[in-house]
Amino acid sequence: RGLIFKRVDGSSIALLVPEVHFGPFRYLGSSALPYQIERRLPPTVKALVLHGAGSHERNASHSLESEKLAEFTAKVVQHDILCNSEMHKPMRVSDGLREAFALPTSKYVLIAIVSPVIGGDDLPYEVQRVADEIAVKYGYNGAIVVDCHNLEGRRETDTSKFVPLLKAALSRGTEPCTNLAVGYGESHAPFVRGLCSSRIKAVVLSCSSDLYALVYLYGNNAEMGVRALIRRMLLDRGFTDVEVLTADDHTCSGTTFDAPYYAVEPNPLLLRAVSQAVEHALTDLKEASPCVLDTSTRLRLVGHTIFELLDLAKEAGDAVLRRLKVGVLLLYATTLALALLRGSHLL
């Protein structure tokens, strides 16, 4: 699914949600799907490939399956979109613990869910199904659920906890945009821990002269403070609302010794790159019309047994680390004892 803005110069800016999880790690399964899709898109299409609802059970079974999906996506983005929608003003709703930044059109609503208070992890895929059911009751054709994945926390698997938020996002109407314009910008943030790619992307929407920004990071989640600092910086510059999204990027997971992955850290270099990307997007603003992508294809997914395999891998990794620590301690103790004996002229 996706929300695609066709611009007057013939270019497009696409917010794409493949509904496939980007895992398990490195280049296995569908870990590299955002990059695979981007490589296949023509230069006239700029995209944010967003993390939808679902977790590792929705990983592609093989990287070749992911390649097929990327090829399919690149094709349908250019040909199978419906452009009879009208863009309405973006809005934010909250249930106290979670928020949703909603981009409504007259046919579909993109709902980006964030947990700024308690953090979170992958949304259950059932949230997408429930969102569609609720959307139809409120006169929409469907919903596009996005997991912002921008603050580390415990995963909530109870779908009912998200229903009030979904109802709030789908039941509140906003006025249509006048003079809709959309811009895209990029920059680089080198040497920022947690980024799998140094590229920083920004999409800016101008709706009835109000400015909204989406900031996209190639990371697997973010540390406390990243979202707040970016939002504060851009809200202080006059933006009406801002949301930060990570790709839940697993291409650099499993590459560190002391943790499964590093979340994106708060960093002045990151803030500077975000500012530059947003500035580029502002200079790129062009009149646009919203279009919707909602199509499907067959794909082999790994299913829920993946969690058993991941648990086994974690146990094996923990066992290796424990034994390695014991070995290091023994080596250190032996070296220290030999040094003491030499110092005491006993050896």
Side-chain angles (χ1 to χ4, degrees), residues 95-158:
D95 65 2
L97 288 179
R98 298 177 185 85
E99 297 177 3
F101 182 53
L103 300 178
T105 73
S106 52
K107 303 292 184 181
Y108 283 75
V109 182
L110 186 146
I111 306 172
I113 297 176
V114 59
S115 298
V117 178
I118 58 174
D121 205 351
D122 301 332
L123 298 175
Y125 183 69
E126 289 70 22
V127 172
Q128 175 63 65
R129 295 196 181 104
V130 171
D132 280 330
E133 293 171 4
I134 297 173
V136 170
K137 292 177 181 177
Y138 284 108
Y140 295 103
N141 291 354
I144 306 169
V145 173
V146 174
D147 183 356
C148 292
H149 219 272
N150 58 20
L151 179 61
E152 290 181 299
R154 184 180 65 85
R155 187 182 182 217
E156 177 57 72
T157 58
D158 184 355

Side-chain angles (χ1 to χ4, degrees), residues 194-208:
L195 288 178
C196 300
S197 167
S198 66
R199 265 196 310 165
I200 306 295
K201 294 183 174 184
V203 170
V204 170
L205 283 77
S206 176
C207 168
S208 305

Side-chain angles (χ1 to χ4, degrees), residues 55-93:
S55 189
H56 285 278
E57 79 281 358
R58 297 188 69 80
N59 291 343
S61 62
H62 194 280
S63 59
L64 292 178
E65 290 287 303
S66 185
E67 293 278 3
K68 281 166 40 181
L69 179 57
E71 188 174 339
F72 172 82
T73 303
K75 182 175 70 173
V76 297
V77 161
Q78 300 173 75
H79 303 294
D80 294 0
I81 55 177
L82 304 174
C83 297
N84 58 349
S85 294
E86 184 179 36
M87 192 73 197
H88 289 241
K89 273 195 168 186
M91 62 178 174
R92 185 174 294 275
V93 296

Side-chain angles (χ1 to χ4, degrees), residues 11-12 54 69 83 111 147 184 194-195 218 224 232 252 289 294 332 344:
S11 64
S12 297
L69 179 57
C83 297
I111 306 172
D147 183 356
Y184 174 88
L195 288 178
Y218 288 91
M224 179 74 74
R232 189 180 306 133
C252 57
S289 301
D294 186 358
Y332 176 76
S344 303

